Amino acid sequence: MMSSLTRAVCVVSLLINLCFFNFIFIRRQGALTWTRKSAEEAEEVASIDCSGHGTAFLDGALSNGGKPVCECSLCYGGPYCSEILPDCPANADGGDPLFLQPYWIQNAATSAVTVSGWHRMSYSFVKSSMLSDELVRQIQKLHETVGNAVTDGKFIVFGVGSTQLLHAALYALSDDDRLSKPVNVVALAPYYSMYQEHGTMFNTRNFEWQGDVSLWKNISNNSTSKSFIEIVTSPNNPDSKLRQPILEGPFARIMYDHAYYWPHYSAIPAPANGDLMIFTLSKITGHAGSRFGWAIIKDADVFQRMVTYLQYNTLGLSHETQVRALELLKVVLEDEGKTLFEFGYKTIANRWEKLNKIVSASKYFSLQKLSPQYCNYFQDIHHPSPGYAWLKCEMEENKECHKVLEAAGISGRQGSSFGVEDRYVRLTLLRSDDDFNLLLQRLVSLVSKELVDTN
Amino acid sequence: MMSSLTRAVCVVSLLINLCFFNFIFIRRQGALTWTRKSAEEAEEVASIDCSGHGTAFLDGALSNGGKPVCECSLCYGGPYCSEILPDCPANADGGDPLFLQPYWIQNAATSAVTVSGWHRMSYSFVKSSMLSDELVRQIQKLHETVGNAVTDGKFIVFGVGSTQLLHAALYALSDDDRLSKPVNVVALAPYYSMYQEHGTMFNTRNFEWQGDVSLWKNISNNSTSKSFIEIVTSPNNPDSKLRQPILEGPFARIMYDHAYYWPHYSAIPAPANGDLMIFTLSKITGHAGSRFGWAIIKDADVFQRMVTYLQYNTLGLSHETQVRALELLKVVLEDEGKTLFEFGYKTIANRWEKLNKIVSASKYFSLQKLSPQYCNYFQDIHHPSPGYAWLKCEMEENKECHKVLEAAGISGRQGSSFGVEDRYVRLTLLRSDDDFNLLLQRLVSLVSKELVDTN
C-alpha cells in the first residue's frame, strides 16, 4: 500500500518535473537577454503608486531610496500625490492633451518601445533621408483610414512638432519670387496665439505678421502690390469651428493648420485637400512631449524649401521620436483607430456636455455654439466635442473675463492672445480628469454664487 | 531494493520539483508583463544577421516575411549585406559618428531604454520646464568628470542638436541693444561649412554672415559702428586645432562650438570657460540621429533669449530623446567615461596613424600637422586623434583636390565649403570601419599610382 502510494507520488512528481522542464527550458527559448534590465526598470517605475493623481517617470527626480518620485497632478501633493493642495487654481490654460494618458496605460503592452543603445545613430535613414519611410507610410495609412486628408500624389515632411512646421511653411511659402516682400501673414480672429509670436519673433525680411485677415480682405483681392499667407486653422483654435480661407487670388497662399481635425474633436465631413496642411502627433495620440508633426504638401518647390529649412534649422528630427511615433500609430491603426477615437470623442463630448450644463445656468457667461454634424469616420452623427471652450463674459462690466475667472480660481487664456477682446477666455478640455474636474467644481461655485447674487 | 530505488528517485524528483517551483514562482516575481512584447521585438530585430556590414532596425523597411531588412554599409549589398558593391565610392564626407556603434553594441544591456506608451506625454516636465532636470545634472557631472568645461554658476539649455543651438545663440547674442544691426557673424577660415548656411538662410535683420574673421580683425578692434559675433570652433572642424578668439572688445561676442572637445578627438588641457559654449551628444556618444545638444551660458539675459527662441522655434525638444540621452550618459559615467573615451580615442588615433602613414609616402598630398599634448583627463600624453583629416593637394596643377580624389573613388568635402581654396579636402575619420577601410584602400591605390608614375 505504502509502496504504491510512493510510486504514485513519484510518477506525479516526475510528470510535474517534466512540465516545469518544458516551461523553463523549452518555452524559455524566447527568454530575454540584453533588454531585460531596461524592461525591468520600466516596469518598476510604472509600479510606483501615485494614488491615481500622478505618475512616476524613468527620468524623474530620485527619492533618497534612488527610485523616481511621483510627479503629481497640479493640485495634488505629498510623496504619493494623495494630498489635495488647498486653494490651488484650476488650470484650464495651455493645450496639454493629458486626457489621452489613460488610453495608453490601457494599451501598455502594445505601445511600449524598447530602443537599443545603437538604434539609428546616424544622421540619416537609408538613402540619406532624415525621415523614416515606414512612418511616412503609416501616416498615409492613418489619413486614408480616418478620411481626414488626401495624401495621394503629395509630399510629406516631418517637423519638431507642428510648431517648427508652421515656421518652415512661412519660409517656404514666402520664399517665392512671384510674391512681394515682406509677405503679410494673416489669420481670421480669433486665431491661435502662437501665430503672432511666430510671425514676429525671428525678425526676417521674408514675412511680417499683420494680424486679423478681416482687415485685409478687400485690399488683398484687388491688389497686386501686396502678397499674403493666410493661416487657416480648421477646426479653429480656440473656438473649434471648421473654417475655409478668406483670401484668394494669385498673391495669396493658404496654410492649413489641421491639428484638431481628428474624430476626437470634430466631425470629419470630408477629407481635407489643401495645398499645404499641417498635423501633429500631440493632438491625435496625445504625445505633445514627443514634438512630432508632419506637413502634407502639394507643390514640389514648396516641399523642397521646407526640407531645406528643416535641414538648416535642426538637421532633421529625433530618431527616438520617429520610432516611438511609428509604434504608437501602429497601435492606433490595429483596429482602424476605433478604440482611440471613441475614447477621445466620448471623453471630450462628455466634458463639453457637463461644462455646457453648468454655463447654461448662468446669465453672466456663455459658450460658443456648436451643432451636431454627420461624421464620415464614425458613420454617425457627431455631437460637439471641442478641444477648447470659448467662454464669453456677457455682462457689460466684465471686460476682462480672465480676471473674473482668476478671482474664482480658474486660469484660462485671455481673448487678446487670440486677437479679440478680453471679454473672451479660452478654457481647455484636454487636460487630465483631475484638472478638468477641478475646473467644473470651480465653475459650479462661480455660477452658484451668481444665482445666489441675482436672487 | 526496488522500493528503496523508487523512494530515492521520488525524493530526488520532489527536490527537483521544489527547485523548479522556487525558480518559476519565487524568483519570477520580477517577471515581465507589459514590457515583454517590446523587449522581444527589440531582441528579435537585433538578432537579424547582417554579416557585420549592416544593421536591422525596429523601424526599418519590412521583408515579405514581415521582419525588418538589413540596412547595409554604403558599399555592401544583398539581403544580408554580404556582397561588396563594385566601384562604390569611399564615403569620407559628412560627420556621421558611426565609429562608436560597436561601443554601444558591447554595452547593450546597460544602454537599452524601454519607453512606456504614456511616458511624458505633456509638453513640459515638472515646474513647466521643457528640460529634464536629471539630464541637466548628468551633463554637469559629465563635464566635471571629463574636466572639459566649467558649468558652475552657469545656465544650461538643450536644443535639437547643436545645429538649433548655434542658430538660437546667433539670435540671443545679436538681440542686444548695445550692438548695431545687422551684427556681423564671422569665423576663422577654415571654418565649419554649416555656419555660412546658418548665417544667411533665414534672411533675418538681426545678423549677417560675413565669412572669414581675418578680413575684419583691424576694423573690429577700432570700430564702434560695427558689431560682431565670432564663432570659435575648438577643436576646429575641419583641421582639429584648438583655437582662441581673434576678436575682442565691447562690440564682439564670442560663441564657442566645442562639439569635438572630448578625449576621443583632442587632449583636454583645461576646462573651457567661455560665456557661451555649445556641445552635442552626436560627438560624445555618437548619437547624431537623436538630435540633442546643449549650451552652457554665463549671462542670464542671453540664456533667457535662447530659451525664448527655442520655445517659439520648436516648443522644446523630444522627451524620448531626453530619456535616452540620460540613460546613455549614465552608462558613460558608470566608469567615469573610461571605456567610452578609451574606445573612441584608440579607434581614431589608430585611424589617424594609418592614414598618416599612407599620405606621408606621397609628394602629392599632405595632412595637417598635429602634435601630442598632455591630456588632463587621461593624465597622459594624448597622441593626435582628429575627427577629420584636412588633406591638401600639394601639386600646383591640382587646384581642385576633391576632383583628384573623386577620380580615385573617394568622396570628401571640398575646401571652398570651409571658406578656403579647393586645394584642401576634408576627409572624415568618424564613419564605420567598413567605410574607413575602403578609404584607406583607395588612398593606397592612389598613392601607389603616384609612386609608379614618378618612378
Side-chain angles (χ1 to χ4, degrees):
Chain A
M1 181 66 194
M2 178 66 185
S3 165
S4 77
L5 178 65
T6 310
R7 211 165 279 171
V9 168
C10 193
V11 168
V12 169
S13 167
L14 284 168
L15 282 173
I16 292 177
N17 268 331
L18 209 66
C19 290
F20 278 157
F21 184 86
N22 170 54
F23 184 83
I24 295 179
F25 296 102
I26 312 298
R27 284 185 49 198
R28 271 174 63 88
Q29 277 186 338
L32 299 173
T33 59
W34 59 269
T35 57
R36 175 163 282 276
K37 186 173 164 283
S38 80
E40 281 172 357
E41 275 170 8
E43 294 211 0
E44 198 185 346
V45 170
S47 72
I48 295 171
D49 180 8
C50 304
S51 315
H53 302 297
T55 317
F57 294 110
L58 211 52
D59 53 0
L62 302 178
S63 67
N64 291 338
K67 280 191 186 181
V69 298
C70 284
E71 298 181 12
C72 304
S73 292
L74 290 171
C75 293
Y76 286 81
Y80 302 103
C81 308
S82 54
E83 300 159 20
I84 301 181
L85 304 180
D87 307 323
C88 173
N91 186 338
D93 194 0
D96 238 343
L98 298 172
F99 75 106
L100 287 168
Q101 182 171 318
Y103 176 83
W104 295 106
I105 293 174
Q106 284 163 27
N107 290 277
T110 46
S111 62
V113 190
T114 300
V115 180
S116 72
W118 63 93
H119 178 76
R120 295 218 181 270
M121 294 172 65
S122 171
Y123 284 103
S124 53
F125 288 73
V126 277
K127 293 177 292 180
S128 297
S129 164
M130 301 280 175
L131 311 188
S132 156
D133 286 345
E134 284 302 301
L135 185 48
V136 170
R137 261 191 286 279
Q138 207 69 11
I139 285 170
Q140 287 164 333
K141 197 173 151 193
L142 176 70
H143 285 300
E144 201 184 335
T145 304
V146 179
N148 66 337
V150 177
T151 63
D152 288 351
K154 291 182 177 165
F155 303 95
I156 290 185
V157 69
F158 300 161
V160 184
S162 57
T163 311
Q164 187 186 30
L165 289 168
L166 284 164
H167 208 236
L170 289 180
Y171 273 100
L173 291 175
S174 64
D175 191 15
D176 179 334
D177 291 340
R178 292 165 294 179
L179 301 183
S180 57
K181 306 279 174 315
V183 178
N184 299 288
V185 180
V186 291
L188 182 64
Y191 43 69
Y192 176 41
S193 42
M194 275 284 256
Y195 300 147
Q196 173 157 10
E197 288 147 0
H198 272 118
T200 52
M201 169 72 192
F202 302 101
N203 203 12
T204 172
R205 296 182 188 90
N206 288 25
F207 53 81
E208 213 158 65
W209 173 250
Q210 294 289 359
D212 192 358
V213 63
S214 310
L215 311 170
W216 295 93
K217 199 185 167 188
N218 294 326
I219 294 172
S220 71
N221 288 350
N222 304 322
S223 154
T224 51
S225 67
K226 280 195 181 294
S227 52
F228 291 85
I229 297 171
E230 181 185 354
I231 308 179
V232 177
T233 316
S234 180
N236 191 40
N237 174 358
D239 65 11
S240 297
K241 307 263 166 99
L242 291 175
R243 281 184 164 183
Q244 294 297 328
I246 305 286
L247 301 183
E248 52 187 25
F251 304 109
R253 301 287 179 271
I254 312 295
M255 177 200 311
Y256 291 88
D257 180 348
H258 285 315
Y260 298 89
Y261 198 42
W262 297 105
H264 315 302
Y265 315 105
S266 171
I268 307 294
N273 197 12
D275 286 356
L276 200 166
M277 306 186 281
I278 294 174
F279 289 87
T280 167
L281 192 71
S282 168
K283 296 305 183 288
I284 170 181
T285 69
H287 293 82
S290 301
R291 312 306 309 123
F292 181 75
W294 62 95
I296 305 172
I297 305 150
K298 193 174 169 192
D299 185 83
D301 292 336
V302 173
F303 165 71
Q304 201 45 61
R305 290 198 293 264
M306 282 188 77
V307 169
T308 304
Y309 175 91
L310 296 165
Q311 198 166 345
Y312 289 147
N313 186 199
T314 56
L315 211 56
L317 75 156
S318 162
H319 291 185
E320 292 83 358
T321 292
Q322 292 192 51
V323 69
R324 188 168 181 231
L326 176 67
E327 296 300 316
L328 295 171
L329 292 182
K330 272 189 200 165
V331 176
V332 172
L333 283 169
E334 241 165 42
D335 63 356
E336 301 184 317
K338 202 167 170 296
T339 52
L340 174 72
F341 293 125
E342 278 187 0
F343 177 92
Y345 169 49
K346 280 184 184 160
T347 305
I348 304 282
N350 183 28
R351 288 180 176 189
W352 175 248
E353 212 184 307
K354 285 179 179 166
L355 199 68
N356 238 311
K357 208 169 152 185
I358 296 168
V359 175
S360 63
S362 162
K363 280 178 190 162
Y364 289 6
F365 304 102
S366 68
L367 292 172
Q368 78 263 44
K369 300 280 169 275
L370 296 166
S371 321
Q373 194 174 358
Y374 187 81
C375 173
N376 272 335
Y377 173 74
F378 284 132
Q379 305 211 319
D380 202 350
I381 295 295
H382 189 288
H383 293 278
S385 60
Y388 304 97
W390 187 230
L391 190 84
K392 188 180 176 187
C393 273
E394 293 285 351
M395 305 303 283
E396 177 54 33
E397 65 272 25
N398 292 338
K399 288 196 174 71
E400 292 185 291
C401 195
H402 60 286
K403 291 200 173 158
V404 177
L405 293 178
E406 256 165 42
I410 296 167
S411 79
R413 192 168 291 180
Q414 63 195 88
S416 53
S417 297
F418 303 90
V420 297
E421 310 164 74
D422 276 339
R423 185 170 291 287
Y424 291 89
V425 175
R426 191 192 74 171
L427 301 175
T428 183
L429 276 77
L430 305 176
R431 294 188 61 92
S432 67
D433 280 341
D434 278 346
D435 294 328
F436 185 73
N437 291 336
L438 190 61
L439 169 66
L440 288 187
Q441 214 176 301
R442 294 279 159 83
L443 276 175
V444 166
S445 306
L446 184 64
V447 171
S448 315
K449 202 165 151 278
E450 169 196 330
L451 296 178
V452 171
D453 288 355
T454 50
N455 285 333
Chain B
M1 181 64 195
M2 179 62 187
S3 167
S4 75
L5 179 66
T6 310
R7 213 165 278 171
V9 168
C10 195
V11 168
V12 169
S13 173
L14 284 168
L15 282 173
I16 294 177
N17 272 176
L18 211 67
C19 290
F20 276 154
F21 184 85
N22 170 53
F23 184 83
I24 295 179
F25 296 102
I26 311 299
R27 285 185 48 197
R28 270 176 63 88
Q29 277 186 337
L32 299 173
T33 59
W34 59 270
T35 57
R36 174 163 282 276
K37 185 172 164 281
S38 80
E40 282 172 356
E41 275 171 8
E43 294 210 0
E44 197 185 346
V45 170
S47 71
I48 295 170
D49 180 9
C50 305
S51 315
H53 301 297
T55 317
F57 294 109
L58 211 50
D59 53 1
L62 303 177
S63 67
N64 291 339
K67 281 191 185 182
V69 299
C70 285
E71 297 180 14
C72 304
S73 292
L74 290 171
C75 294
Y76 287 81
Y80 302 103
C81 308
S82 54
E83 300 159 19
I84 301 181
L85 303 180
D87 307 322
C88 174
N91 186 338
D93 194 1
D96 237 343
L98 298 172
F99 77 106
L100 288 168
Q101 181 170 319
Y103 176 84
W104 295 106
I105 293 175
Q106 283 163 28
N107 289 278
T110 45
S111 62
V113 189
T114 301
V115 181
S116 72
W118 64 93
H119 178 75
R120 295 218 181 270
M121 293 172 66
S122 172
Y123 285 102
S124 53
F125 288 72
V126 276
K127 294 178 289 177
S128 297
S129 162
M130 300 280 176
L131 312 187
S132 156
D133 286 346
E134 284 303 301
L135 184 49
V136 170
R137 263 191 285 279
Q138 207 69 11
I139 285 170
Q140 287 164 333
K141 197 172 152 193
L142 176 71
H143 285 300
E144 201 184 334
T145 305
V146 178
N148 66 338
V150 177
T151 62
D152 288 350
K154 291 182 179 165
F155 303 94
I156 290 185
V157 70
F158 301 161
V160 183
S162 57
T163 311
Q164 187 187 29
L165 289 167
L166 284 164
H167 208 237
L170 290 180
Y171 273 100
L173 292 174
S174 63
D175 189 15
D176 179 334
D177 291 340
R178 293 165 294 181
L179 301 182
S180 58
K181 308 281 173 314
V183 178
N184 299 289
V185 180
V186 293
L188 182 64
Y191 44 71
Y192 176 40
S193 42
M194 274 284 256
Y195 299 147
Q196 174 157 11
E197 287 147 2
H198 273 119
T200 52
M201 169 70 190
F202 301 100
N203 204 13
T204 173
R205 297 181 188 90
N206 287 25
F207 54 80
E208 212 158 65
W209 173 249
Q210 293 289 359
D212 193 359
V213 64
S214 309
L215 310 171
W216 295 94
K217 197 184 168 188
N218 294 327
I219 294 174
S220 72
N221 288 352
N222 304 322
S223 155
T224 52
S225 68
K226 280 193 182 294
S227 52
F228 290 86
I229 296 171
E230 182 185 354
I231 309 179
V232 177
T233 315
S234 180
N236 190 39
N237 174 358
D239 65 10
S240 297
K241 307 262 166 96
L242 290 175
R243 281 184 164 183
Q244 294 297 328
I246 305 287
L247 301 183
E248 51 188 26
F251 304 108
R253 300 287 180 274
I254 312 295
M255 177 200 312
Y256 291 88
D257 181 348
H258 284 315
Y260 299 90
Y261 199 43
W262 297 106
H264 315 300
Y265 316 106
S266 171
I268 307 294
N273 197 13
D275 286 355
L276 199 165
M277 307 186 282
I278 295 173
F279 290 87
T280 166
L281 193 72
S282 168
K283 296 305 183 287
I284 170 181
T285 68
H287 293 83
S290 300
R291 312 308 308 123
F292 181 75
W294 62 95
I296 305 172
I297 305 149
K298 194 175 169 192
D299 185 82
D301 292 335
V302 173
F303 165 70
Q304 201 45 60
R305 289 199 292 264
M306 282 187 76
V307 169
T308 304
Y309 175 91
L310 296 165
Q311 199 166 344
Y312 289 147
N313 187 199
T314 56
L315 211 56
L317 74 156
S318 163
H319 291 185
E320 292 84 359
T321 291
Q322 294 193 50
V323 69
R324 189 172 181 224
L326 177 67
E327 296 300 317
L328 295 171
L329 292 181
K330 272 189 199 165
V331 176
V332 172
L333 284 169
E334 241 164 45
D335 64 356
E336 301 183 318
K338 201 165 172 294
T339 52
L340 174 72
F341 293 125
E342 277 188 358
F343 178 92
Y345 169 49
K346 279 184 184 160
T347 305
I348 304 282
N350 183 28
R351 287 181 177 187
W352 175 247
E353 211 184 308
K354 285 180 179 165
L355 198 69
N356 237 313
K357 208 167 152 189
I358 295 168
V359 175
S360 63
S362 163
K363 281 179 188 158
Y364 289 7
F365 304 101
S366 69
L367 292 173
Q368 78 263 43
K369 299 279 170 275
L370 296 167
S371 321
Q373 193 173 358
Y374 187 81
C375 174
N376 271 334
Y377 173 76
F378 284 132
Q379 304 211 319
D380 202 351
I381 295 294
H382 189 287
H383 294 278
S385 61
Y388 304 97
W390 187 230
L391 191 85
K392 187 179 176 188
C393 272
E394 293 284 352
M395 305 303 282
E396 176 54 33
E397 65 272 27
N398 291 339
K399 288 195 174 71
E400 291 185 291
C401 194
H402 60 285
K403 290 200 174 161
V404 176
L405 293 179
E406 256 165 44
I410 297 167
S411 79
R413 192 170 291 182
Q414 65 195 86
S416 53
S417 297
F418 301 91
V420 298
E421 311 164 74
D422 277 338
R423 184 171 291 288
Y424 290 89
V425 176
R426 190 192 75 171
L427 300 176
T428 184
L429 276 77
L430 305 176
R431 294 188 61 90
S432 67
D433 280 342
D434 279 345
D435 293 328
F436 186 74
N437 290 336
L438 189 61
L439 168 67
L440 287 187
Q441 213 176 303
R442 294 280 160 80
L443 276 174
V444 167
S445 305
L446 183 64
V447 171
S448 316
K449 202 167 150 276
E450 168 195 333
L451 297 177
V452 171
D453 287 355
T454 50
N455 285 330

